[in-house]
Amino acid sequence: MYSFRDVHKRYGLRTVALRRINLDIETRDFFVLYGPAGAGKSTMLNVIAGITKPTSGDILRDGKSIVGLPPEQRDAAMAFENYALYSHLSVGENLGFPLRAKGMGKSDAEDRVKKIAATLEIDHLLDRRPGFLSGGQRQRVALGRAIIRPADIYLLDEPIGHLDAKLRHRMRAELKALAEELNATVVFTTTSSREALALADRMAVINEGRLEQVGTPRALYDSPANAFVASFVGDPPMSFLKVEAVADGDRARLVGHGGRTLGRAAAEMAGATGLSAGLRADAIRFVDRGEAEAVPARVRVIEHLGYSNIAVVDVGEDQLSVSLAADSPVRPGEELGLKIDADALHLFKDDVAVASGGR
Ligand code: ADP
Ligand code: MG
């Protein structure tokens, strides 16, 4: 297990890249660091690899501090975001380099290079120099060079971010299979929600150097701790509707746009300020405007996803995403009603999740 203990990283006087991070990465987990550009993902990998020293705090491996160890004494294999290939070596030599450095025999190394190259679909490029490759090809060489040798931990920095959509999808599956085979700890960074949810055993959402939430993809999707995680995990993002909580017997009633009741909350929420209801696209459906408690909405655009559609609708000042069957007759400009599944409503106060919202 790798552990961050109060890891803080400042660059110069002004930039704080990591803010007192506490995090455990279990052995053999496929662990995803997910966050926007500039969140601190690469810095976290560099700190594990020993390329960057934290300003304060500690990094533990199975309970023992490794923060003082130089990179070569940590058994980490890293695929860098900027590739960092040897430009004077061919693709085959780049891939074989970590094996020769570990003293593997020539023919074993060649077999291993061929196997990895085939998996990453770069076997036709083995004789080329990196300067004659596309960005996506270079990226696969960098990934291959990282995963070709046994290591205690693999640090993969947006390793498939520069591939086209089709190849990215295929490499995602290959990578997951490879990780099973390697039977090792993998830390993978991405800015894609879909990639994070598809690959992670456990994942951490990072934002502005802060650890927002850690857990399984399911846990983060179903129970986001705050509005940032809610709107960042899942595609389309969760939508938010301003609500008020009104005392109603031994519960509070959540009232939204047009005075409609959207759900219930604990009695002590009554009168609270800064409340919003978080709704996934599949927790909302279109109904006739006249239906009881239907929330009045106007359809702004329809986004076609192929297997289904997403309608973006205006509700007062808020915008919601509503999932639609691909053959739905709903059109932009229509005035409709919305029915909200009260059991699927997430309640937030000042952007922090309130337990048992809606239920
Ligand atoms: P991410 O990988 O999530 O995009 P990074 O870890 O690269 O984020 O960067 C986090 C923050 O630290 C950013 O604000 C970035 O500009 C800053 N940063 C990263 N590396 C350096 C560096 N070597 N010197 C100064 N600032 C840096
Ligand atoms: Mg980065």
Side-chain angles (χ1 to χ4, degrees):
M1 183 164 82
Y2 281 79
S3 308
F4 285 67
R5 291 285 176 268
D6 268 334
V7 172
H8 201 75
K9 177 64 188 177
R10 225 179 33 233
Y11 287 111
L13 288 176
R14 229 166 288 164
T15 308
V16 180
L18 300 177
R19 295 170 202 270
R20 305 207 161 277
I21 301 273
N22 284 289
L23 173 68
D24 288 334
I25 298 171
E26 301 282 347
T27 303
R28 280 189 285 282
D29 254 6
F30 199 113
F31 195 94
V32 175
L33 296 174
Y34 171 52
K41 303 180 296 298
S42 298
T43 304
M44 287 182 72
L45 295 189
N46 290 335
V47 160
I48 296 174
I51 298 163
T52 301
K53 244 182 129 63
T55 309
S56 61
D58 206 353
I59 302 282
L60 311 178
R61 184 180 172 279
D62 294 336
K64 285 225 304 263
S65 176
I66 55 167
V67 83
L69 291 183
E72 55 282 6
Q73 284 176 36
R74 306 185 193 192
D75 191 15
M78 186 153 175
F80 294 90
E81 202 177 353
N82 58 4
Y83 320 136
L85 299 173
Y86 300 112
S87 58
H88 60 290
L89 299 182
S90 69
V91 167
E93 289 164 337
N94 265 282
L95 289 173
F97 192 87
L99 300 178
R100 289 200 306 280
K102 291 270 163 190
M104 187 186 273
K106 192 160 184 267
S107 91
D108 283 349
E110 274 171 9
D111 287 349
R112 183 82 187 134
V113 166
K114 277 195 196 121
K115 180 166 182 293
I116 286 285
T119 305
L120 297 174
E121 299 179 30
I122 46 175
D123 37 349
H124 57 300
L125 304 171
L126 288 175
D127 295 328
R128 267 199 223 168
R129 296 270 179 93
F132 298 92
L133 301 175
S134 72
Q137 290 168 337
R138 264 197 289 255
Q139 188 162 46
R140 277 174 286 159
V141 179
L143 173 59
R145 200 182 50 181
I147 60 185
I148 200 161
R149 70 165 175 98
D152 190 48
I153 189 165
Y154 294 88
L155 307 171
L156 309 180
D157 203 1
E158 300 190 35
I160 53 178
H162 290 103
L163 308 185
D164 63 64
K166 189 173 160 199
L167 193 54
R168 196 167 171 167
H169 190 259
R170 211 155 61 221
M171 286 301 137
R172 200 166 81 193
E174 292 290 358
L175 203 53
K176 184 80 179 172
L178 257 170
E180 301 269 309
E181 212 176 290
L182 291 168
N183 203 19
T185 311
V186 177
V187 188
F188 176 103
T189 72
T190 183
T191 56
S192 153
S193 164
R194 189 167 280 209
E195 218 160 86
L197 293 173
L199 285 170
D201 294 320
R202 294 202 323 138
M203 59 189 278
V205 177
I206 319 284
N207 179 35
E208 296 180 346
R210 248 188 329 270
L211 189 60
E212 298 280 357
Q213 194 173 358
V214 186
T216 61
R218 192 81 255 160
L220 267 59
Y221 186 84
D222 287 343
S223 312
N226 56 50
F228 181 84
V229 174
S231 60
F232 210 63
V233 174
D235 189 15
M238 186 180 275
S239 331
F240 298 93
L241 260 185
K242 280 185 252 347
V243 292
E244 286 178 9
V246 181
D248 183 13
D250 60 349
R251 305 276 284 154
R253 201 156 49 86
L254 297 173
V255 179
H257 182 70
R260 305 296 195 270
T261 295
L262 304 182
R264 317 258 159 203
E268 63 264 27
M269 293 314 296
T273 56
L275 295 182
S276 58
L279 300 164
R280 296 277 179 207
D282 56 5
I284 315 170
R285 64 191 167 83
F286 286 108
V287 293
D288 230 49
R289 268 232 163 161
E291 206 166 292
E293 298 295 348
V295 178
R298 184 169 192 280
V299 181
R300 181 189 281 255
V301 287
I302 307 282
E303 295 172 355
H304 299 275
L305 300 181
Y307 54 90
S308 74
N309 291 343
I310 297 291
V312 180
V313 305
D314 290 320
V315 174
E317 288 170 7
D318 296 314
Q319 258 188 30
L320 304 186
S321 296
V322 182
S323 61
L324 271 184
D327 58 357
S328 159
V330 169
R331 292 285 168 267
E334 275 190 78
E335 310 265 344
L336 287 162
L338 299 177
K339 204 76 181 195
I340 283 158
D341 175 3
D343 289 334
L345 181 155
H346 297 257
L347 185 61
F348 296 88
K349 175 170 166 51
D350 302 326
D351 291 340
V352 176
V354 177
S356 76
R359 267 137 279 190

